[in-house]
Amino acid sequence: MNYQEALDFIHGRKRFGIKPGLDRIKELLKRLGDPQKKLKFIHIAGTNGKGSTTAMTASIFISAGYKTGMYISPFVDEFCERIQINGEYISHSDLALFTERVKNTVDEIDKEKVFTPVTEFEIVTAIGMLYFAEKKCDIVVLEVGLGGRLDATNAIDAPLVSVITSISMDHTNILGDTLSKIAFEKCGIIKNGSKTVLYPVQQEEVFKVVRERTKEMKNPLIIPDLNLLKIISESILGSEFIYKGLEILCPLTGRHQIYNCITAIEACRAASQNGITITDVDIKKGIKSTKFIGRFEIFKTRPLIILDGGHNEGGIDTLVDSLNKHVKPYYKKINTCMGILKDKDYRVCIKKISEISDMFIALSPNNPRALPVEEIKNIAGEYCKNTLSFNDINEAVEKLLNSTNDDDAILVCGSLYLLSDIRKIMENIYK
């Protein structure tokens, strides 16, 4: 099996199972020798911020000298971004090798017809577990794919630390139509014999659900103390702040990233009481060196080009807040290119972005769940007078760049699938 054959096999499977549950992934991992049982985990769930929190947490462990696996989804750069060790993507040859091993076991399971077919996400999770175990990672920072309770990553035993990031409304058709129901699903990763760290800014109903779950699972609950946070400065290039006497430089933009950062700090400190040592120097160095593409990523400064994968109301709210604070006062125009999936709360997301845009270009992400481009344009047109749509991504990028001066800003947002494609085009233009 080569790299392309591996991708074809992975993407040829159903994304989610007809029957949700952990039976398939547990059977798959068991037949692979239960690689997850050889690893230590920081397990991270939430609606928004889990990717950034995962990246900062992993960076701290890397700075401390630990061989650190990181599992994320989806990807922006390329598929291998999803499985990393010490910041290095799994190689194409290793992906092919480990995929072939997993495929052989999947074929066995499928042939027996005891379970419904193993899904794409379960297969990728199994590949990651096998890879991290055989490469002898000291710690794996594991990002949940969807929800938590029934997510394939939840096949692990109790992690060192469970982390719950910001919870808001998303995937309501799967996770439930209230914050309490969504929080319940996210809290499914909290297990006996662990500790839990919770993002400090939540609705009261979320706090209630998390407190109940941690009490039931006998987990100490750690919530970053905002009274011990002193923000020194915030800019488009990041923030400087003091938390519990430790001065931190965070390169990720936005107030929410400060909160994600102190959540990651608390997670690392909680893990350091379980045979792992994390010093203040490790924390400062790890945060400062964090890189996470596609999350208010400053791709270029003149003109300013921002790539952001916010795709639900909570993510869009933090994006708009950062734009109002750090972009609108300093740049003449914001020209936007946006695409979004139809299973999101797309109307409110498009409204909030188009309201702050001087020009709005609608594009449909390269995904079967994409919202049609004309529907995006029609909604945006209610709030932005200069609204266009394109079916060809290269034509859209050309129009975007030709309409933007050096003292203007470009925003690409709404879907990581769209970001991935536009990022590649921009890299070729500005290489």
Side-chain angles (χ1 to χ4, degrees):
M1 178 179 279
N2 60 31
Y3 176 64
Q4 189 55 52
E5 289 169 339
L7 291 183
D8 290 344
F9 166 68
I10 291 166
H11 294 322
R13 308 294 295 199
K14 284 187 179 296
R15 187 161 175 252
F16 302 116
I18 298 168
K19 183 181 177 184
L22 299 176
D23 290 345
R24 289 183 303 267
I25 182 65
K26 285 186 174 180
E27 180 65 21
L28 177 56
L29 290 170
K30 180 182 174 183
R31 296 191 190 197
L32 291 168
D34 277 327
Q36 79 283 4
K37 292 185 181 294
K38 301 168 187 172
L39 298 163
K40 295 177 180 177
F41 295 97
I42 307 294
H43 202 186
I44 301 180
T47 307
N48 292 304
K50 62 181 185 288
S52 302
T53 305
T54 297
M56 285 188 271
T57 302
S59 189
I60 291 170
F61 280 108
I62 293 167
S63 293
Y66 293 102
K67 191 170 190 179
T68 305
M70 184 170 79
Y71 182 75
I72 60 172
S73 62
F75 63 91
V76 176
D77 189 14
E78 62 153 304
F79 182 85
C80 291
E81 179 187 338
R82 295 181 64 173
I83 301 169
Q84 303 180 31
I85 295 177
N86 286 358
E88 296 291 326
Y89 300 174
I90 185 174
S91 68
H92 288 192
S93 58
D94 272 342
L95 183 74
L97 176 68
F98 284 90
T99 301
E100 185 167 13
R101 289 171 57 184
V102 171
K103 179 184 183 298
N104 292 336
T105 306
V106 168
D107 289 345
E108 287 174 11
I109 294 172
D110 284 350
K111 199 177 295 181
E112 294 166 8
K113 296 185 177 178
V114 175
F115 301 94
T116 53
V118 181
T119 67
E120 175 181 340
F121 189 74
E122 289 165 343
I123 287 166
V124 180
T125 300
I127 292 166
M129 297 296 184
L130 202 57
Y131 178 68
F132 295 139
E134 297 208 0
K135 297 297 182 181
K136 294 183 168 54
C137 285
D138 299 311
I139 189 84
V140 174
V141 188
L142 186 66
E143 181 189 348
V144 166
L146 174 65
R149 184 173 64 93
L150 300 177
D151 187 76
T153 62
N154 208 29
I156 66 171
D157 294 332
L160 296 181
V161 184
S162 301
V163 180
I164 307 295
T165 65
S166 175
I167 292 180
S168 59
M169 301 297 285
D170 197 14
H171 297 292
T172 52
N173 58 322
I174 299 171
L175 302 179
D177 57 1
T178 67
L179 281 181
S180 294
K181 289 177 182 176
I182 292 171
F184 173 79
E185 294 296 328
K186 306 290 185 185
C187 287
I189 70 167
I190 298 170
K191 300 182 177 77
N192 273 309
S194 187
K195 298 174 182 176
T196 299
V197 175
L198 176 64
Y199 181 87
V201 182
Q202 307 277 4
Q203 295 293 325
E204 188 51 47
E205 57 196 295
V206 173
F207 281 120
K208 183 175 184 290
V209 172
V210 177
R211 287 190 182 105
E212 287 173 355
R213 177 67 179 179
T214 51
K215 185 177 180 182
E216 180 188 353
M217 292 291 110
K218 298 180 173 58
N219 270 220
L221 176 58
I222 302 159
I223 303 173
D225 189 343
L226 296 182
N227 292 319
L228 299 177
L229 171 67
K230 181 184 178 184
I231 298 170
I232 299 169
S233 64
E234 295 178 81
S235 77
I236 199 165
L237 300 177
S239 306
E240 184 178 359
F241 61 89
I242 297 170
Y243 180 65
K244 292 186 174 180
L246 190 62
E247 193 166 332
I248 301 290
L249 287 170
C250 176
L252 306 183
T253 306
R255 180 65 58 91
H256 63 293
Q257 294 292 14
I258 295 176
Y259 300 151
N260 287 333
C261 184
I262 61 177
T263 302
I265 290 169
E266 292 291 6
C268 291
R269 283 178 167 163
S272 70
Q273 298 168 26
N274 288 274
I276 289 172
T277 303
I278 300 291
T279 68
D280 287 352
V281 173
D282 300 330
I283 290 170
K284 292 180 68 164
K285 183 180 174 186
I287 296 298
K288 188 176 180 180
S289 59
T290 299
K291 293 180 176 65
F292 201 51
I293 60 177
R295 276 68 170 185
F296 209 91
E297 177 189 359
I298 310 300
F299 184 85
K300 195 173 183 290
T301 54
R302 286 183 68 81
L304 178 68
I305 300 176
I306 299 167
L307 309 178
D308 189 271
H311 54 260
N312 54 45
E313 187 174 3
I316 293 295
D317 282 344
T318 58
L319 171 58
V320 169
D321 181 63
S322 294
L323 291 168
N324 282 330
K325 281 182 181 175
H326 305 302
V327 177
K328 273 195 143 330
Y330 309 106
Y331 294 86
K332 287 186 177 178
K333 293 189 298 182
I334 297 178
N335 293 332
T336 297
C337 181
M338 187 176 189
I340 196 165
L341 304 184
K342 60 188 174 186
D343 57 1
K344 303 298 178 185
D345 190 3
Y346 58 82
R347 176 168 284 277
V348 69
C349 293
I350 296 167
K351 173 183 182 292
K352 290 182 177 186
I353 292 298
S354 55
E355 281 178 335
I356 64 161
S357 300
D358 295 280
M359 179 178 76
F360 186 102
I361 292 177
L363 259 181
S364 196
N366 182 21
N367 187 280
R369 295 177 291 129
L371 185 68
V373 67
E374 284 306 312
E375 192 163 351
I376 299 172
K377 180 187 175 185
N378 290 340
I379 296 168
E382 297 174 24
Y383 309 99
C384 176
K385 291 179 182 177
N386 187 11
T387 299
L388 309 166
S389 65
F390 289 87
N391 291 313
D392 184 277
I393 191 169
N394 288 290
E395 290 179 9
V397 171
E398 183 180 0
K399 175 63 177 177
L400 194 62
L401 294 176
N402 288 341
S403 304
T404 305
N405 297 318
D406 279 354
D407 51 3
D408 296 333
I410 288 173
L411 170 67
V412 181
C413 69
S415 166
L416 284 171
Y417 298 100
L418 178 68
L419 248 65
S420 179
D421 291 339
I422 289 186
R423 197 174 193 278
K424 289 181 176 69
I425 295 170
M426 294 281 194
E427 282 175 341
N428 285 330
I429 292 171
Y430 292 111
K431 62 184 176 183

